[in-house]
Amino acid sequence: MGGGGGGSGGGGFTLGVRSPGQTFSKCMETHASDYSITGLADLATKGAISSNSTVNFAANVFGGNSLTGTYYAFAGTTQGSAYNAVTTGAGFTGNIIAGGMGSTLTYGRRTSAIMSLNLAGKGGLPQALSSSSAGVKGFFGKMGTGALRLAADVGFTLAEGIGCMIPK
Amino acid sequence: MANKPSVADQVFNGLRLATLVVLVCVTGTLFVWGALVVSHEVAGSVMIGWLALAVAFVILLLNLDGWAKILPGLLALAAFNAVLMAVSGHIFNKPSVLVSRGVAFGSAAALALAALISARFHGKRLSILDRIVLVAYVGFILLGLVSQWLLLSFTLGTLVLAVPWIKSQLHGSRPKPHHESGY
């Protein structure tokens, strides 16, 4: 652990976590893993989580900071990981889009451009535009608690930002 | 038209929400730490490890309806996080700790499927089977942590979550629609 918020750097209590001479962005990148639910749990358990790779992965899956994680996965500066992530992500997304094209919007309809995919008795607007979007809306409503988790991540990121604004 | 909540109501709701978030974090930490101590993965008193697990399970059982409500969102975000780690090839914000892309993508798929399946628990009166399945899912995740077979445990957990759905399909009982179809 890289030391959470509220360290005492010799001269008494301070909320600052930025080392002398360290830039704000470098400080944010260094402490990104500490400011999350997992980081907090790791601190509480004296490094029990970060010392085990499987547990570390699972804990970050459920409690990692998605905001800083997303940012530093794609825009980080460390060890060329951002370039790696962008190229892998681009290929992955391309495959998904290629797989999705021509199937989701046309399969199972009378109006499909490919006759062999047409089904008798169904028609109308493409599924993505029809009343089934109400079901999609309901589904995202059920997933809404994910936003609550994201809200916690926003709080952690703000706390990290404040910590990195104040020098140790 | 619904009444506008008073400031006191909003403050109370905010505090309640914050307490719930803290409770979820504390319960999760107790589960993980307890499981690791009991399995001798980390140093600590085994007795206190079992106590932590017991307390976490009691909190879980007492709040199972709320747990069922938040599970789809948590799993969906977990799937998203797993995809991010698979794409970047390392743990969140720690480029020095590499992860297997296969395990990460597999975990993402299992978690996304679990999120879809668990959405059926949302806003539903939980049956005994639903409750058993939800507790078993947590058990499988913990088993994966201590056995290092995380992907297998995510997959088995997802299959267990699907049991009530499979049962309802076999019995031909479909859940009531929430709204009229409009035809």
Side-chain angles (χ1 to χ4, degrees):
Chain A
M1 291 287 290
S8 55
F13 179 79
T14 173
L15 285 173
V17 292
R18 182 154 57 94
S19 305
Q22 194 178 34
T23 62
F24 176 79
S25 59
K26 192 72 194 164
C27 173
M28 287 293 283
E29 194 167 349
T30 307
H31 294 284
S33 60
D34 301 331
Y35 286 85
S36 62
I37 294 169
T38 300
L40 197 66
D42 193 45
L43 198 69
T45 56
K46 294 174 184 169
I49 291 169
S50 58
S51 61
N52 183 313
S53 59
T54 307
V55 178
N56 203 0
F57 170 72
N60 272 286
V61 160
F62 286 105
N65 190 329
S66 304
L67 291 181
T68 53
T70 307
Y71 180 76
Y72 290 114
F74 291 98
T77 57
T78 42
Q79 298 181 12
S81 64
Y83 173 77
N84 197 8
V86 168
T87 48
T88 314
F92 181 64
T93 313
N95 288 340
I96 290 174
I97 292 169
M101 279 168 73
S103 56
T104 323
L105 292 176
T106 58
Y107 178 76
R109 298 175 54 235
R110 285 188 306 196
T111 51
S112 171
I114 304 167
M115 293 307 288
S116 61
L117 293 178
N118 288 347
L119 293 179
K122 286 177 92 179
L125 288 168
Q127 282 297 299
L129 303 175
S130 71
S131 61
S132 68
S133 60
V136 173
K137 210 184 282 179
F139 172 74
F140 280 110
K142 289 172 183 176
M143 298 293 153
T145 45
L148 194 62
R149 251 284 280 115
L150 273 179
D153 289 345
V154 170
F156 278 115
T157 309
L158 286 174
E160 187 190 358
I162 292 168
C164 280
M165 277 194 284
I166 307 166
K168 269 183 191 173
Chain B
M1 190 197 270
N3 288 336
K4 201 178 170 185
S6 67
V7 174
D9 286 342
Q10 290 183 39
V11 169
F12 176 75
N13 286 336
L15 285 174
R16 193 170 149 267
L17 197 61
T19 310
L20 280 175
V21 171
V22 171
L23 192 68
V24 169
C25 296
V26 169
T27 312
T29 305
L30 282 175
F31 267 127
V32 173
W33 184 78
L36 291 176
V37 168
V38 165
S39 61
H40 301 287
E41 291 284 333
V42 295
S45 163
V46 175
M47 184 103 110
I48 294 176
W50 280 115
L51 189 68
L53 276 179
V55 169
F57 265 110
V58 168
I59 295 173
L60 178 72
L61 289 173
L62 291 176
N63 299 285
L64 210 52
D65 291 287
W67 168 243
K69 210 172 170 181
I70 65 168
L71 192 63
L74 283 183
L75 290 174
L77 199 62
F80 172 73
N81 287 351
V83 168
L84 275 182
M85 282 191 259
V87 164
S88 66
H90 59 76
I91 293 282
F92 264 175
N93 306 312
K94 279 186 182 170
S96 56
V97 186
L98 302 177
V99 294
S100 156
R101 284 205 160 99
V103 171
F105 271 126
S107 302
L111 289 166
L113 195 60
L116 283 173
I117 294 168
S118 64
R120 72 180 291 282
F121 297 119
H122 192 278
K124 172 181 179 273
R125 195 183 170 85
L126 296 176
S127 67
I128 297 289
L129 180 64
D130 293 336
R131 290 173 188 277
I132 292 171
V133 156
L134 283 167
V135 174
Y137 185 72
V138 176
F140 270 108
I141 302 289
L142 292 178
L143 207 61
L145 289 181
V146 297
S147 69
Q148 314 288 313
W149 291 96
L150 201 60
L151 183 55
L152 182 67
S153 71
F154 279 154
T155 310
L156 289 175
T158 305
L159 289 175
V160 166
L161 268 187
V163 167
W165 178 77
I166 293 168
K167 185 172 170 271
S168 71
Q169 293 298 308
L170 288 177
H171 285 252
S173 63
R174 294 169 67 86
K176 277 186 179 178
H178 289 290
H179 56 83
E180 294 297 321
S181 63
Y183 291 109

